[in-house]
């Protein structure tokens, strides 16, 4: 057996569970055996799924089962379903075709992912990189000193400053001017202007009118009013007196409002009369898709207020087995889509190759379509498209056109995306991005959960 790099260290405080390896004889089985050895796992059973029975699998007391998924073993997995459906058993699927050609750095990365899956955590970094996360930039402004010391006790420093204030030398180089006074606010200046008496001039110029006698009644001072409406005027310009003009006749406004005859316009309902949903979340997958799809469905909440449509092309068309595999991890009911049936919110549907969707009476229905699901058939305002690992690049134009029309579109990112071409294309176009659990959280936040 050949291994690359150093083995993945096992956690002594949380040892790996015993593992049963179910795979047909061939390169895929050898690669998975090497990955388990590199991960430090103990293999208690290694058999072809077609030759092992449920009693033997259940009797080895394994805590996890690693299965190389391919069309030739789907009937056997259906036979072993009573054991694989046990809640105490961790079931991990890997595509046999993908496992057979995994070598070098890809093999090391898969071993780290395998350890994370067996332990049930998300730490997939190689040994020695535990501090790498501290170097990653984070969004937002850096914390100010005031924010860092917001909760620090200040009483000690205040007392210390008060005690030392008398010993602080004064500045003898600067002497304030005699006429120095603190500046006044605008309100104080206006009050001073109103209260100051008018000073009589010593000698009046020739062009100034004589002063008003002292015993003459003082002219009432005009109120200042709102100073925000003041404006500058030219001192040399004398405004002519305003000539009153008759107000223009305003058009007659009919105050009579026929309120008894008013009625509310009925809005278009979000759900069709027969209960079918107005839109859906379409999930597309391919190579590496079973694991990404399993993680996405496992993170979606029960009662999701929109249906989820899943299409992943399978050799042999064994979509019924995919329904059973995903039903083990999904909180949503997983059903096989059938033509002429309504698409109901709160369900996850596996789409066969010959089933599409269409809108009938404001609701989605499954239809018989030899070309399969058509992205353009989804109503943009109520729909979304999620591209997981291995999605077909041929649908990119339709997906981006749907996004322009108002649909929510997202692509898978992260180490688990083995074929990221289509997903990266939508992310580069400005669409949402994330690993399957993050995408599931975004879907749940956008559509919510039905009561």
């Amino acid at each position: 057996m050949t291994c690359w790099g150093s083995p993945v260290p096992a956690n002594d405080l949380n040892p790996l569970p015993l593992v049963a390896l179910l795979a047909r004889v061939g390169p895929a089985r050898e690669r998975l055996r090497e990955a388990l050895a590199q991960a430090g796992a103990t293999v208690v059973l290694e058999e072809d799924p077609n030759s092992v029975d449920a009693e033997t699998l259940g009797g080895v007391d394994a805590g996890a089962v690693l299965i190389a998924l391919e069309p030739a073993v789907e009937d056997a997995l259906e036979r072993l379903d009573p054991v694989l459906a046990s809640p105490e058993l961790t079931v991990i699927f890997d595509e046999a075709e993908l496992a057979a050609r995994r070598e070098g750095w890809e093999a090391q990365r898969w071993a780290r992912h395998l350890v994370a899956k067996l332990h049930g955590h998300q730490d997939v970094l190689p040994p020695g990189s535990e501090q790498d996360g501290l170097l990653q930039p984070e969004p937002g402004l850096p914390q100010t000193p005031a924010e860092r010391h917001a909760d620090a006790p200040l009483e000690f420093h205040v007392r210390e400053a008060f005690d030392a204030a008398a010993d602080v030398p004064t500045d003898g180089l600067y002497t304030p001017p005699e006429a120095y006074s603190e500046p006044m606010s605008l309100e104080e200046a206006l009050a001073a202007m109103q209260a100051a008496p008018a000073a009589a001039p010593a000698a009046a110029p020739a062009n100034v009118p004589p002063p008003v006698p002292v015993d003459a009644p003082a002219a009432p001072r005009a109120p200042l009013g709102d100073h925000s409406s003041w404006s500058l005027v030219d001192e040399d310009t004398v405004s002519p007196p305003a000539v009153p003009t008759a107000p223009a006749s305003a058009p007659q406004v009919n105050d009579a409002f026929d309120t008894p005859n008013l009625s509310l316009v009925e809005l278009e309902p979000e759900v069709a009369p027969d209960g079918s949903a107005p839109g859906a979340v379409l999930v597309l997958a391919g190579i590496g898709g079973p694991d990404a799809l399993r993680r996405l469905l496992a993170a979606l909440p029960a009662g999701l207020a929109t249906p989820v449509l899943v299409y992943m092309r399978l050799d042999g068309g064994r979509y019924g087995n995919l329904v059973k595999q995903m039903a083990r991890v999904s909180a949503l009911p997983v059903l096989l889509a059938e033509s002429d049936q309504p698409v109901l919110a709160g369900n996850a549907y596996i789409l066969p190759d010959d089933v599409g969707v269409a809108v009938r009476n404001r609701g989605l229905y499954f239809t018989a379509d030899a070309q399969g699901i058509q992205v353009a058939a989804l109503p943009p305002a109520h729909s979304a498209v999620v591209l997981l690992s291995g999605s077909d690049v041929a649908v990119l134009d339709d997906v981006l056109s749907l996004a322009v029309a108002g649909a929510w579109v997202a692509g898978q990112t992260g180490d688990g995306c083995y074929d990221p071409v289509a997903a990266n294309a939508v992310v580069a176009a400005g669409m949402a991005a994330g690993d399957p659990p993050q995408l599931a959280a975004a879907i749940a936040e956008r559509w919510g959960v039905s009561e």
Side-chain angles (χ1 to χ4, degrees):
M1 177 182 65
T2 304
C3 292
W4 300 272
S6 59
V8 178
N11 190 338
D12 296 333
L13 299 178
N14 186 19
L16 294 176
L18 303 178
V19 181
L21 175 58
L22 300 183
R24 293 202 305 163
V25 177
R29 181 165 166 176
E30 295 175 4
R31 294 290 183 270
L32 293 179
R33 186 194 311 118
E34 293 172 1
L36 289 170
Q38 191 173 356
T42 301
V43 179
V44 295
L45 177 67
E46 182 179 328
E47 287 290 345
D48 186 333
N50 295 315
S51 59
V52 70
D53 54 41
E55 183 178 359
T56 301
L57 179 59
V60 296
D61 196 25
V65 179
L66 178 58
I67 302 174
L69 192 62
E70 54 182 321
V73 302
E74 292 181 355
D75 290 336
L77 295 182
E78 186 174 356
R79 176 171 47 83
L80 298 174
D81 186 69
V83 178
L84 298 177
S86 172
E88 300 178 355
L89 193 64
T90 300
V91 181
I92 303 173
F93 295 99
D94 190 17
E95 291 189 51
E97 180 183 357
L98 187 63
R101 62 174 190 261
R102 190 182 293 127
E103 295 180 353
W105 179 80
E106 286 288 342
Q108 295 181 41
R109 187 177 69 168
W110 168 248
R112 295 194 298 270
H113 278 270
L114 187 58
V115 171
K117 295 175 187 295
L118 294 175
H119 274 304
H121 58 68
Q122 300 294 326
D123 185 10
V124 296
L125 295 176
S129 58
E130 290 81 2
Q131 300 298 323
D132 289 351
L134 300 178
L135 303 178
Q136 299 298 325
E138 297 182 356
L141 296 174
Q143 204 173 26
T144 63
E147 293 172 340
R148 287 198 301 269
H149 302 288
D151 299 329
L154 299 178
E155 183 179 357
F156 169 78
H157 302 284
V158 173
R159 289 200 308 267
E160 185 180 13
F162 179 79
D163 295 338
D167 300 331
V168 176
T170 59
D171 190 356
L173 300 179
Y174 172 74
T175 303
E178 296 180 359
Y180 175 80
S181 62
E182 293 292 334
M184 292 185 298
S185 64
L186 176 62
E187 289 77 8
E188 293 173 339
L190 293 176
M193 292 172 58
Q194 289 180 305
N207 57 349
V208 176
V212 180
V214 177
D215 56 352
R221 183 181 298 273
L224 292 177
D226 185 5
H227 62 79
S228 64
S229 61
W230 294 354
S231 62
L232 297 178
V233 296
D234 191 353
E235 295 180 353
D236 296 333
T237 303
V238 178
S239 300
V243 179
T245 57
S249 58
Q252 294 294 330
V253 179
N254 186 9
D255 293 336
F257 207 66
D258 192 8
T259 54
N261 294 328
L262 293 179
S263 62
L264 296 177
V265 177
E266 182 180 0
L267 298 178
E268 182 178 342
E270 292 293 329
V271 180
D274 57 0
S276 57
V281 176
L282 174 61
V283 181
L284 303 175
I287 297 177
D291 183 65
L293 180 59
R294 178 185 62 83
R295 295 170 61 198
L296 178 73
L297 292 179
L300 288 175
L304 185 67
T306 188
V308 178
L309 311 181
V310 177
Y311 179 69
M312 183 177 66
R313 183 178 296 277
L314 295 177
D315 295 336
R318 304 295 183 94
Y319 293 101
N321 290 338
L322 184 60
V323 170
K324 296 179 181 179
Q325 295 165 15
M326 296 305 159
R328 298 190 186 102
V329 299
S330 175
L332 300 173
V334 183
L335 308 172
L336 184 65
E338 300 179 2
S339 59
D340 297 327
Q341 295 297 319
V343 182
L344 304 179
N347 292 333
Y349 297 92
I350 304 298
L351 297 172
D353 294 332
D354 57 353
V355 173
V357 293
V359 178
R360 298 178 185 174
N361 194 19
R362 299 191 302 273
L364 276 184
Y365 266 78
F366 292 116
T367 61
D369 192 334
Q371 296 181 350
I373 182 67
Q374 302 296 314
V375 175
L378 295 172
H382 305 286
S383 300
V385 182
V386 177
L387 277 69
L388 299 181
S389 175
S391 298
D392 190 359
V393 295
V395 302
L396 282 177
D397 290 342
D398 290 340
V399 171
L400 295 178
S401 297
L402 200 72
V404 172
W408 185 77
V409 174
Q412 179 188 353
T413 58
D415 291 339
C417 192
Y418 299 102
D419 183 7
V421 178
N424 286 350
V426 297
V427 173
M431 304 297 115
D435 59 21
Q438 292 171 338
L439 297 178
I443 293 172
E445 181 180 0
R446 186 177 180 86
W447 275 271
V449 177
S450 300
E451 298 180 358

